[in-house]
């Protein structure tokens, strides 16, 4: 499972590299607007995940690095936080 998570993080880095290329690379007519639309949708979903992490910040005490990882990698960075939250809820029972 850990290897799959690392591979998917690499895929996300390639995705964000493509978005940066679409923004600053060639003319927008060459690339089209689809990468920018997809980048906006993914960024919105990752921002929602950052907000979810912010909601449990009192329990998990995430660092600024944790927020950045969730913003870039999304659910692939949230796995560790979900496991920690689940363990804390199990202890509480």
């Amino acid at each position: 499972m850990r290897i799959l998570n690392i591979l998917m993080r690499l895929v996300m880095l390639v995705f964000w590299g493509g978005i940066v290329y679409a923004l600053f690379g060639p003319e927008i007519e060459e690339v089209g607007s689809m990468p920018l639309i997809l980048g906006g949708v993914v960024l919105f979903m990752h921002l929602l995940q950052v907000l979810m992490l912010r909601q449990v910040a009192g329990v998990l005490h995430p660092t600024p690095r944790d927020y950045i990882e969730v913003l870039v990698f999304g659910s692939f960075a949230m796995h560790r936080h979900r496991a920690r939250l689940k363990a804390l809820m199990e202890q509480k029972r």
Side-chain angles (χ1 to χ4, degrees):
M1 186 69 171
R2 181 157 171 79
I3 301 234
L4 182 62
N5 194 339
I6 291 171
L7 287 173
M8 294 313 295
R9 284 180 180 226
L10 289 173
V11 168
M12 286 306 301
L13 284 176
V14 170
F15 173 80
W16 287 119
I19 298 302
V20 169
Y21 178 76
L23 282 172
F24 300 111
E27 297 290 324
I28 191 71
E29 293 82 23
E30 291 180 32
V31 178
S33 61
M34 187 58 71
L36 302 178
I37 293 169
L38 292 175
V41 169
V42 170
L43 182 62
F44 178 72
M45 291 186 314
H46 289 189
L47 283 171
L48 289 177
Q49 291 174 338
V50 167
L51 290 175
M52 286 189 286
L53 183 60
R54 181 79 179 129
Q55 292 243 325
V56 294
V59 177
L60 295 179
H61 308 292
T63 63
R65 180 178 179 212
D66 292 330
Y67 288 113
I68 292 170
E69 281 183 354
V70 171
L71 187 62
V72 173
F73 300 115
S75 62
F76 305 115
M78 287 289 284
H79 179 70
R80 179 171 41 103
H81 302 296
R82 284 191 301 263
R84 283 178 49 208
L85 188 60
K86 183 178 178 182
L88 288 171
M89 292 301 135
E90 292 286 326
Q91 285 179 351
K92 196 172 186 179
R93 286 186 197 171

